[in-house]
Amino acid sequence: MNQIQGGVCAAQGFQAAGLHVGVKTHNVNKKDLTLIVSDVPCTAAGVFTTNVVKAAPIQVTRRHLAAGPVRAVVANSGNANACAPEGEENAVRMCRAAAAALGVQPQEVLVSSTGVIGQTLKVGVIEAGLPTLSGMLEHSWAGSDAAAAAIMTTDTVPKEAAVEFTVGGKTVCMGGIAKGSGMIRPNMGTMLCFITTDCAISQELLQSALREVCAVSFNRISVDGDTSTNDTCLVLANGLAGNAPITQRGGDYDAFAAALKEICVTLARKIASDGEGARHLITCTVSGAADEKTAETVAKSVVSSTLTKAAIFGADANWGRVLCAMGYSGAAFDPEAVDVSFASDAGRVAVCSRGRGLPFDEELAKKVLSEHDVEIRISMGSGAGQCVCWGCDITYEYIRINGDYRT
Amino acid sequence: MNQIQGGVCAAQGFQAAGLHVGVKTHNVNKKDLTLIVSDVPCTAAGVFTTNVVKAAPIQVTRRHLAAGPVRAVVANSGNANACAPEGEENAVRMCRAAAAALGVQPQEVLVSSTGVIGQTLKVGVIEAGLPTLSGMLEHSWAGSDAAAAAIMTTDTVPKEAAVEFTVGGKTVCMGGIAKGSGMIRPNMGTMLCFITTDCAISQELLQSALREVCAVSFNRISVDGDTSTNDTCLVLANGLAGNAPITQRGGDYDAFAAALKEICVTLARKIASDGEGARHLITCTVSGAADEKTAETVAKSVVSSTLTKAAIFGADANWGRVLCAMGYSGAAFDPEAVDVSFASDAGRVAVCSRGRGLPFDEELAKKVLSEHDVEIRISMGSGAGQCVCWGCDITYEYIRINGDYRT
């Protein structure tokens, strides 16, 4: 498998574009409408937020996924269309307008929204903008860049990834774009992620692969512990790579799932790294747990702990907070068997052995934790279970952003 | 029931004192050792953290509670004695030193610690300071004030409460002190709380009352979602009020439990209000839930939501975050039946009706949310369940405090 350029346009037969149409009113330079289109009908799959309060576009997208092949995804930023008047009607109108501009059926269009909750979506500006946007569609990486930019809210960088790999002797491409930033926690963690591939694969296996991979990528990141009402991850597969369709588990499916995992983990790490106000990407690696579930419970609790996040912000090797977060995670384990160390490109410092503090070089610890990418390594001393989760620190900037998000 | 002065010394026959002995090294003006003593043996009860990682003093206190009547509580701040070398040995040494200074048995002394995790407790300075501290014991409110000050860590104010009420024709007093600030979430929420009463009550009923009351007071507050390793709530009852001992449920027990609830809710609110860096006390009142458990699950999720806390910090009426936090709480409910309003001494503003945004006066909302005490009122429209939980906003100051807590 090779990393390549091109994001959501890396795979054959996919075009994308992004444009400012006026959902975001405060800055006309900020794109707010994304369109991703396949030249031919696609098999598609999706996973969605576990929040009881689900945004209207999720309901509509689910219906359209169930209706059969898909041609396009339309998505806006600046308004979540959740708990909003005329939510479902406006989500349907977005699909209709995109379908009309593209000459396809409305149920062949999937729809997503991200932004403020509870305000009526200005669907008129979206309808007015879609003909222009569809005229801007490009097969090149520039199309993906624009699409990635147009789903950003408080994200500071667009997030793209793409790989090529081989299925049945054919070169297959897969790429994706994502946005994250706030309302991110390990339970379908990204607000929006769109993935395209030219691989031929059955809908059933596409859905399985997406579900399995989301569980070990997006569901293992945390920014603030708030699970959004809009979280959506969609994958469209148009089969243009010409491989014999993947219709059963085996080597081809595994290659496909590995590529999907590569894309999703890359995008998940980018989301955690670009968490609102974040200065550090925190990777928590747990090994020696009784089983993988225990390792995951513990690792998620550590990357979600506000106190641990604040300590990393301060480059403070306060490992007691790591043990504390493990302890209230709900996992059963023996604290007296736990080892903890901090690591980064600047080195590694062991701080806790068998549940007790070790003397350590405070200066080195400060250096290790001052790097952008820091790792919390935990060994639980009781089995072979392991897991990696990602998060970010909490900063003054997070408070500033979220103290005044709507206005 | 009347509110009175005196805190932990309000009840007959209780003395208290607080002193700087040197556990906190950076400021000799900060007291760090507390002693609370009853003139006669007490019935005692305790509830403790649910964290798997439990501080050493909790293990020792549990043993001493099981051993029979109690005479005193000794507690230090500045070091949690959790995950620390010689933790249990040092907790035992604290009890022994207090017992020697008071002329009682070591198992008649309960012990608590709060502060940094993972560092060896300087038990020598505690042993050296206890004879002085025991000489400073006072029956007056000044003793309670000093004791409340000496358990503070990042708390900005000491927390005390006391009431008098009637049991079997006798006037009974009850009072308490508490400390909170960080590592506070609804699951035995305070790090330390000590309550004294001159009521005569059986150990069994004292323990029941404490457990029931903690569930609806300390377990309903949240500062940062981190459940400490040291959370402890102890109650000592010395019987000096001369009431016929409460040995069965009924009117007397109910009066006792009501007084205990008054003390615990008052202290819990003070802890939430003085959460690290907090500028607002947030009260979340849920009514119309299917049952009390659902109401509690929803209210806890709202006061624990980092995004909701940040919105209150910014006096931003971002009610979408309230609905979002309700939605991921784990409770099942119909979002389309939910009403939300914000209230404070400055007025009340309805922002959401039946799951949809209402037009509202932004200026009034800003005024309402700029008060120190703000209320989030939620009506779920599906039953008679209700619950009140308390939390605080998250501020720049929280980040500053916790970015550099150890040093």
Side-chain angles (χ1 to χ4, degrees):
Chain A
M1 187 187 334
N2 298 314
Q3 306 268 359
I4 58 172
Q5 298 295 312
V8 84
C9 294
Q12 289 179 61
F14 282 100
Q15 308 183 69
L19 179 67
H20 172 86
V21 298
V23 182
K24 292 176 180 167
T25 47
H26 53 292
N27 188 340
V28 296
N29 293 318
K30 294 212 168 174
K31 296 185 173 67
D32 51 21
L33 192 63
T34 285
L35 193 58
I36 304 167
V37 182
S38 170
D39 298 345
V40 298
C42 298
T43 303
V47 298
F48 304 94
T49 182
T50 54
N51 198 307
V52 169
V53 180
K54 286 179 175 55
I58 288 182
Q59 323 280 11
V60 174
T61 288
R62 279 195 160 148
R63 278 208 305 273
H64 291 186
L65 277 174
V70 163
R71 286 292 297 277
V73 177
V74 62
N76 72 277
S77 55
N79 185 317
N81 194 17
C83 310
E86 287 90 52
E88 186 150 342
E89 185 186 325
N90 288 340
V92 168
R93 281 173 64 178
M94 279 178 72
C95 293
R96 274 200 211 121
L102 299 169
V104 303
Q105 295 302 310
Q107 71 269 24
E108 291 180 297
V109 180
L110 308 182
V111 58
S112 285
S113 297
T114 176
V116 181
I117 297 176
Q119 297 181 359
T120 307
L121 182 65
K122 283 181 288 174
V123 72
V125 298
I126 293 174
E127 290 170 326
L130 269 164
T132 311
L133 183 60
S134 68
M136 295 165 68
L137 287 165
E138 292 191 61
H139 282 103
S140 73
W141 60 266
S144 179
D145 282 0
I151 52 173
M152 290 164 64
T153 53
T154 51
D155 305 65
T156 65
V157 291
K159 296 164 188 76
E160 300 177 76
V163 294
E164 61 179 16
F165 57 107
T166 307
V167 173
K170 300 280 183 183
T171 298
V172 171
C173 291
M174 182 187 291
I177 60 175
K179 63 87 51 190
S181 242
M183 271 199 195
I184 302 289
R185 83 151 172 188
N187 212 339
M188 184 63 254
T190 180
M191 288 187 72
L192 301 181
C193 176
F194 307 127
I195 298 165
T196 59
T197 178
D198 45 27
C199 188
I201 182 167
S202 72
Q203 202 283 328
E204 193 191 338
L205 288 177
L206 188 62
Q207 182 68 45
S208 300
L210 184 62
R211 197 167 293 285
E212 287 163 19
V213 165
C214 280
V216 298
S217 55
F218 297 118
N219 288 3
R220 286 185 174 170
I221 60 172
S222 177
V223 168
D224 52 19
D226 282 60
T227 303
S228 156
T229 51
N230 289 55
D231 294 341
T232 295
C233 183
L234 301 173
V235 54
L236 274 60
N238 68 9
L240 289 181
N243 62 298
I246 304 173
T247 56
Q248 55 190 15
R249 287 175 184 265
D252 287 349
Y253 175 82
D254 291 346
F256 182 85
L260 190 59
K261 184 175 174 186
E262 177 67 25
I263 296 292
C264 290
V265 167
T266 301
L267 292 173
R269 285 174 53 103
K270 287 186 181 188
I271 287 171
S273 187
D274 193 30
E276 284 177 340
R279 295 197 197 164
H280 295 275
L281 171 66
I282 304 172
T283 301
C284 181
T285 310
V286 173
S287 63
D291 49 41
E292 186 182 357
K293 182 76 210 145
T294 302
E296 185 177 8
T297 302
V298 163
K300 277 188 184 178
S301 185
V302 170
V303 296
S304 302
S305 154
T306 312
L307 285 170
T308 301
K309 291 152 67 77
I312 298 294
F313 165 68
D316 181 17
N318 196 338
W319 60 269
R321 293 177 172 177
V322 174
L323 248 79
C324 180
M326 295 174 68
Y328 66 69
S329 67
F333 65 95
D334 176 11
E336 314 267 309
V338 171
D339 296 346
V340 180
S341 63
F342 295 108
S344 73
D345 285 348
R348 177 170 168 273
V349 55
V351 289
C352 168
S353 173
R354 305 193 156 270
R356 295 280 177 273
L358 292 172
F360 62 88
D361 180 343
E362 289 275 0
E363 216 165 303
L364 173 61
K366 199 92 189 168
K367 249 174 83 179
V368 166
L369 293 178
S370 296
E371 293 288 308
H372 181 273
D373 290 12
V374 302
E375 186 185 353
I376 302 171
R377 283 189 206 166
I378 298 168
S379 166
M380 299 183 68
S382 60
Q386 50 186 40
C387 177
V388 183
C389 286
W390 302 273
C392 60
D393 56 335
I394 187 163
T395 67
Y396 300 121
E397 194 60 10
Y398 178 90
I399 310 289
R400 194 192 59 71
I401 293 168
N402 287 298
D404 194 20
Y405 179 66
R406 288 183 320 136
T407 48
Chain B
M1 187 189 333
N2 299 313
Q3 306 268 357
I4 58 172
Q5 298 295 312
V8 85
C9 294
Q12 289 180 61
F14 283 99
Q15 307 183 68
L19 178 66
H20 172 86
V21 299
V23 183
K24 292 176 180 166
T25 46
H26 51 293
N27 188 339
V28 295
N29 293 318
K30 294 213 167 171
K31 295 185 173 68
D32 52 20
L33 191 63
T34 285
L35 193 58
I36 302 167
V37 182
S38 171
D39 298 345
V40 297
C42 299
T43 303
V47 299
F48 304 94
T49 183
T50 54
N51 199 308
V52 169
V53 180
K54 288 180 175 55
I58 288 182
Q59 323 281 11
V60 174
T61 289
R62 278 194 161 149
R63 278 207 305 273
H64 291 188
L65 277 175
V70 164
R71 286 292 297 278
V73 176
V74 61
N76 72 277
S77 55
N79 187 315
N81 194 18
C83 309
E86 287 91 49
E88 186 151 341
E89 185 186 326
N90 288 340
V92 168
R93 282 173 63 179
M94 279 178 72
C95 293
R96 272 199 214 123
L102 299 169
V104 303
Q105 294 302 310
Q107 72 268 22
E108 291 181 295
V109 180
L110 308 181
V111 58
S112 286
S113 297
T114 177
V116 181
I117 297 176
Q119 296 180 359
T120 306
L121 181 66
K122 285 181 285 175
V123 71
V125 298
I126 293 174
E127 291 171 324
L130 269 165
T132 311
L133 184 60
S134 68
M136 295 166 68
L137 287 166
E138 292 191 62
H139 283 102
S140 73
W141 61 266
S144 179
D145 283 0
I151 53 173
M152 289 165 64
T153 53
T154 52
D155 305 67
T156 65
V157 290
K159 297 164 187 75
E160 300 177 77
V163 294
E164 60 178 17
F165 56 107
T166 307
V167 173
K170 300 280 183 184
T171 297
V172 170
C173 291
M174 181 188 292
I177 61 174
K179 64 86 51 190
S181 243
M183 272 200 195
I184 302 291
R185 83 152 171 188
N187 214 339
M188 183 63 255
T190 181
M191 289 186 71
L192 301 181
C193 175
F194 307 127
I195 298 165
T196 57
T197 178
D198 44 27
C199 188
I201 183 169
S202 72
Q203 203 282 328
E204 192 190 338
L205 288 178
L206 187 64
Q207 182 67 45
S208 300
L210 184 63
R211 197 165 293 284
E212 287 163 19
V213 164
C214 280
V216 297
S217 55
F218 298 118
N219 287 3
R220 287 187 174 169
I221 61 171
S222 177
V223 168
D224 52 18
D226 282 59
T227 304
S228 155
T229 51
N230 290 54
D231 294 340
T232 295
C233 182
L234 301 173
V235 53
L236 274 60
N238 68 9
L240 289 181
N243 62 297
I246 303 174
T247 56
Q248 55 190 15
R249 286 174 184 265
D252 287 349
Y253 175 82
D254 292 346
F256 182 84
L260 190 59
K261 184 175 174 187
E262 177 68 25
I263 296 292
C264 289
V265 167
T266 301
L267 292 173
R269 284 174 53 102
K270 287 185 182 188
I271 286 170
S273 186
D274 192 32
E276 283 177 339
R279 296 198 195 163
H280 294 277
L281 170 66
I282 304 172
T283 300
C284 181
T285 310
V286 173
S287 63
D291 50 42
E292 185 181 358
K293 182 77 210 145
T294 302
E296 185 177 8
T297 302
V298 163
K300 276 188 185 178
S301 185
V302 170
V303 297
S304 302
S305 154
T306 311
L307 285 170
T308 301
K309 292 152 66 78
I312 299 294
F313 165 69
D316 182 16
N318 197 338
W319 59 269
R321 294 179 171 177
V322 174
L323 249 79
C324 181
M326 294 174 69
Y328 65 69
S329 66
F333 65 94
D334 176 11
E336 313 267 308
V338 172
D339 297 345
V340 180
S341 63
F342 294 109
S344 74
D345 285 347
R348 177 171 168 272
V349 55
V351 288
C352 168
S353 173
R354 305 193 156 270
R356 295 280 177 273
L358 292 172
F360 62 88
D361 181 343
E362 288 275 0
E363 213 164 307
L364 174 61
K366 200 92 189 167
K367 247 174 84 179
V368 166
L369 294 178
S370 295
E371 294 287 309
H372 182 273
D373 290 13
V374 301
E375 186 185 352
I376 302 172
R377 283 189 204 166
I378 298 168
S379 166
M380 298 183 70
S382 60
Q386 51 187 39
C387 177
V388 183
C389 286
W390 301 273
C392 61
D393 56 335
I394 186 163
T395 67
Y396 300 121
E397 194 61 9
Y398 178 90
I399 309 290
R400 193 193 60 72
I401 292 168
N402 287 298
D404 194 19
Y405 178 66
R406 287 183 320 136
T407 49

